[in-house]
Amino acid sequence: MSHNIAIIGGDGIGPEVTAEALKVIRESGVDLATTEFDLGGARYLRDGEILSDATLADLRRYDAILLGAVGTPEVPPGVIERGLLLKMRFELDLYINQRPFAGVAPGHDRPHDFVVIRENTEGPYVGEGGVLRRGTLHEVATQGSVNTRMGVERVIRYAFGLASARPRQHVTMVHKTNVLTFAGDLWQRVFQLVAADFPAVATSYNHVDAACIYFVQDPHRYDVIVTDNLFGDILTDLGGAVSGGIGVASSANLNPARTGPSMFEPVHGSAPDIVGTGKANPTAAVLSAAHMLDFLGEFAAAELVRTACADPVSGSTSEIGDELARRVSAAS
Ligand code: IPM
Ligand code: MN
C-alpha cells in the first residue's frame, strides 16, 4: 500500500535533514508518494504565505506530514512559529507531542529509556492574552494558560495507554501544582481519575523544577512522563541534552483520533548558522520518520530504521544519511 506524504522541508537545515530521512526510510521498502510543500520563513519573505487555509485544506488530504524545521532570523519571532507550526498543531488537532529519550546521560554508566508526552494544543501556547498601552511606561502584557478538562484528560489517557504497553508500566505527571494551583488542580484530579482506570500502571508526580534535576541526576526513574505544553517544550530540550544531544531527538505530533494527518519533525530547529556546512545530524529527522512509519502501520520498516540508528554514525549530513541508508538496505 502506498502512503501519501506531505513534505515540508522548511528553512535552514530542515530541507537537508528531511532529504536524508527520506533517503533512509525509502530503503526499508515502504511505498511512499511524496509531495513537497514550499513553506517556512523563506516562502513568507517571498510572497507572504505562511499557511493559508487553502494550503491547510490541501495538507489534510495526506496520510502524514514530514517536517524538517521552520524559522529564519529575517522574520520576527513568532510569525512562522505561530502561523505555521502551531497552526498545524492546533488546526489538525495534533494533541500529543511524543518525544522519546534513550541514551546514557553524562556521568552515568547505563542507559535510560523514557518518553515525554507533551500536551500539544493548550496551555500557554494558545495565545490567550494581549497587550495594552504598548511601548508606554503603563504597558500591560498578559499571557494566559488554557487547560480544558477534555484536553487534559485525552493527553493523560494517551500516556497511560502508552505506559500499559511498556515493560515498566509507570507514568509520572510533571507540573507545578504548588504554584499554578488552578491548572495544577485540574491536572492532578484528572490524573488521579484516569489512573483509576489503569490499575496496573504505577504513578508518580514531580514538580517541573525538580524534574530538571532528575533528568540530569537520575533519568532512570522515568518511563512515561505526561506534562503541560510549555513544561514539555522546555523539558524535552533537556531530555535531548542528556540523551545523546539534540541531533538525535525525534518527535511526533499525533492526532490519535486520526481525524487528519499527524506530523513528524525533529525536536531541533532550523539552525541557520550551520546551513550548508554538512554539520547537521539527520538522525533526529530519520527517527522522526521512523515514528511516522509506525503510525502508518509499517512496523517492520520502522523497526529496521530504528535499529540502523542504534549505533551512532559520525560524518557529514549526507555521510550519516548514506550510512544509515546502507544499514537499512542491508537488513531489509
Ligand atoms: C518545539 C519548538 C516549538 C515549540 C517552537 C519552534 C514553536 O521549540 O517543537 O519544541 O515551542 O513547541
Ligand atoms: Mn522546543
Side-chain angles (χ1 to χ4, degrees):
M1 183 174 120
S2 178
H3 305 285
N4 288 321
I5 311 297
I7 309 291
I8 305 174
D11 299 307
I13 61 171
E16 303 171 16
V17 296
T18 307
E20 298 306 320
L22 281 171
K23 184 161 87 187
V24 175
I25 64 171
R26 280 191 196 284
E27 290 298 331
S28 70
V30 287
D31 189 3
L32 303 177
T34 57
T35 307
E36 303 245 357
F37 283 74
D38 176 14
L39 294 169
R43 168 74 190 272
Y44 170 67
L45 289 172
R46 220 171 45 247
D47 68 6
E49 156 122 14
I50 305 175
L51 176 63
S52 66
D53 291 343
T55 308
L56 184 64
D58 202 7
L59 283 172
R60 283 186 200 277
R61 297 185 298 112
Y62 289 83
D63 297 319
I65 303 167
L66 191 63
L67 182 133
V70 293
T72 172
E74 294 83 50
V75 179
V79 175
I80 305 299
E81 290 87 342
R82 294 211 75 86
L84 178 56
L85 193 61
L86 300 188
K87 186 169 177 179
M88 281 195 287
R89 288 179 183 168
F90 294 151
E91 294 292 327
L92 300 174
D93 207 17
L94 308 176
Y95 62 89
I96 301 297
N97 196 324
Q98 182 160 337
R99 298 183 160 176
F101 297 101
V104 180
H108 293 269
D109 53 13
R110 67 191 170 91
H112 57 264
D113 178 0
F114 64 88
V115 183
V116 176
I117 301 301
R118 162 186 174 188
E119 202 293 319
N120 214 28
T121 53
E122 299 194 344
Y125 274 69
V126 301
E128 189 205 55
V131 59
L132 260 180
R133 311 189 201 101
R134 186 165 181 279
T136 73
L137 289 176
H138 296 273
E139 180 161 349
V140 181
T142 64
Q143 193 107 40
S145 170
V146 173
N147 299 263
T148 71
R149 163 65 200 260
M150 179 279 295
V152 173
E153 179 167 353
R154 65 183 180 176
V155 69
I156 291 176
R157 217 166 259 293
Y158 180 89
F160 273 90
L162 181 68
S164 307
R166 290 169 60 93
R168 282 178 60 196
Q169 303 200 69
H170 187 275
V171 181
T172 307
M173 179 176 116
V174 172
H175 207 278
K176 186 73 183 173
T177 55
N178 55 343
V179 174
L180 305 184
T181 48
F182 310 134
D185 176 50
L186 173 62
W187 274 79
Q188 193 67 65
R189 276 183 290 117
V190 173
F191 186 73
Q192 275 153 12
L193 234 129
V194 175
D197 290 343
F198 292 87
V201 177
T203 61
S204 321
Y205 169 78
N206 292 157
H207 291 318
V208 64
D209 45 353
C212 290
I213 297 179
Y214 299 139
F215 265 46
V216 175
Q217 294 188 347
D218 185 23
H220 306 101
R221 70 169 57 210
Y222 294 121
D223 181 22
V224 175
I225 292 172
V226 65
T227 192
D228 145 280
N229 205 342
L230 183 58
F231 296 144
D233 175 49
I234 299 165
L235 268 184
T236 53
D237 266 25
L238 185 55
V242 298
S243 310
I246 204 77
V248 298
S250 65
S251 87
N253 298 262
L254 304 176
N255 172 340
R258 296 180 189 260
T259 55
S262 289
M263 194 245 293
F264 301 82
E265 54 162 346
V267 174
H268 66 66
S270 56
D273 50 321
I274 59 165
V275 183
T277 62
K279 284 189 187 152
N281 186 344
T283 307
V286 173
L287 288 170
S288 304
H291 198 140
M292 178 181 80
L293 295 179
D294 262 333
F295 203 72
L296 294 170
E298 299 284 0
F299 305 115
E303 200 47 44
L304 279 178
V305 175
R306 265 193 296 271
T307 305
C309 294
D311 276 332
V313 185
S314 55
S316 69
T317 309
S318 62
E319 283 165 355
I320 296 174
D322 286 344
E323 171 58 16
L324 295 176
R326 191 196 61 74
R327 290 178 185 177
V328 172
S329 157
S332 62

